[in-house]
Amino acid sequence: MHDDFTRRGLLATAGALALTLAARAADVEPVFDDSKPTKDVVIPDSKVAERNAAPLIPKKLTKLYSVLPTIKEPNGMQFTPAGTLLILDQADPNRVFEIAPADGKIIRMVQTEAMHGSGICIDAGGNWLVTSTKGLQSGGPPVTLLVDPKSGTTLKKWVTPGWGYYGGVKESSGAPSGGHGVKWAGNGRYWMAVPSSGRVFLMDEASGKRVRSIPAPALRTHGLVIDGDYLWAAASDFAQIVKISQKDGTIVGKIQLEKNRSFDP
């Protein structure tokens, strides 16, 4: 009986592993035409089920202070090497505020040309990468900006892969959407969430081209944080912060926040 139980256990484990590998193999790297808006992308049912089944990670949310009304629409954050905190204000055209994280005191403000921006990080040279979620005032599709941290001047800009329409961001009702959360990954690369693509991209800064991508945990994936071999990604649709593998996007856990507020797309 013991041997029979062991065999059943091994078969069950092998079957589960086969299903897991098949599910991961089914994720095909999509190809996007950066000259056209992406439309009608949805999160696969298998990924929805994976997120629903992910274990809850207990965390407590503590409110420290409000940055209103000076910072009208805080929508991206990044700590600096000096220990200060950068906050991207989504009010157009976007400004970046550097604050003291202990009490929220504003140290300085830098004007950028980003529009409806949703993400900010710092590269190896100390410059800022800012996602302009909407096209610039000068026109064109959504772009990722390399910004001088002193003047706010755009040093380079690249069209955001997979930009387009998704969910409530429809062609009939507004401008297309681009990058959201962005985090420096080292070795000249950064991660960027693009909801309209249903993907999280690993990008090469030198060329502005995508290296590879992993499936997003939710349609409205927003802020990103790197944690070893994992990413924490804000799944705004569900007021969750989801922990995913940088290798293949596998969801390993989630933090559930209160659902009594709306999240801006």
Side-chain angles (χ1 to χ4, degrees):
M1 182 179 293
H2 176 73
D3 288 343
D4 185 50
F5 176 80
T6 301
R7 283 194 297 271
R8 288 200 302 268
L10 287 172
L11 287 171
T13 301
L17 179 60
L19 288 173
T20 300
L21 292 175
R24 292 181 183 176
D27 177 55
V28 178
E29 184 85 21
V31 177
F32 297 97
D33 182 347
D34 293 347
S35 68
K36 302 177 182 179
T38 301
K39 301 178 184 178
D40 304 322
V41 168
V42 297
I43 302 300
D45 290 342
S46 59
K47 181 58 65 174
V48 174
E50 184 182 327
R51 192 188 63 252
N52 289 339
L56 283 171
I57 301 172
K59 293 289 182 180
K60 181 180 179 182
L61 182 65
T62 302
K63 182 177 179 179
L64 297 178
Y65 44 77
S66 173
V67 294
L68 298 173
T70 305
I71 305 177
K72 296 180 175 61
E73 300 176 24
N75 205 42
M77 297 188 298
Q78 172 66 57
F79 278 101
T80 72
T84 58
L85 181 63
L86 302 176
I87 298 181
L88 177 65
D89 190 347
Q90 197 177 46
D92 293 329
N94 306 154
R95 298 180 293 175
V96 177
F97 290 84
E98 186 172 2
I99 72 170
D103 55 13
K105 181 180 179 181
I106 295 174
I107 299 170
R108 67 184 184 117
M109 182 276 293
V110 178
Q111 181 69 59
T112 77
E113 64 170 333
M115 298 292 288
H116 215 66
S118 297
I120 183 171
C121 70
I122 303 173
D123 73 2
N127 296 312
W128 297 341
L129 284 160
V130 176
T131 52
S132 184
T133 306
K134 303 297 183 181
L136 303 179
Q137 287 181 319
S138 56
V143 291
T144 307
L145 304 174
L146 184 66
V147 177
D148 183 293
K150 295 181 179 179
S151 65
T153 301
T154 298
L155 303 174
K156 293 182 181 180
K157 58 187 175 185
W158 308 276
V159 173
T160 300
W163 64 276
Y165 301 96
Y166 71 100
V169 185
K170 300 183 182 299
E171 192 170 8
S172 60
S173 58
S177 175
H180 282 54
V182 60
K183 279 293 171 281
W184 185 250
N187 298 316
R189 296 175 175 181
Y190 60 92
W191 284 104
M192 178 171 60
V194 184
S196 54
S197 72
R199 311 292 293 184
V200 181
F201 293 96
L202 182 63
M203 303 293 296
D204 175 65
E205 184 188 36
S207 64
K209 301 296 184 181
R210 48 193 176 274
V211 177
R212 63 180 179 89
S213 70
I214 56 177
L219 188 61
R220 291 173 59 198
T221 301
H222 205 290
L224 300 174
V225 174
I226 293 177
D227 181 8
D229 294 331
Y230 297 92
L231 288 170
W232 289 95
S236 300
D237 325 47
F238 306 97
Q240 293 175 346
I241 303 174
V242 184
K243 189 175 185 180
I244 63 176
S245 166
Q246 290 191 46
K247 180 180 179 181
D248 56 16
T250 299
I251 300 172
V252 299
K254 61 179 182 278
I255 299 169
Q256 183 64 62
L257 306 176
E258 294 181 8
K259 297 181 181 180
N260 61 352
R261 59 151 293 177
S262 62
F263 286 78
D264 180 71

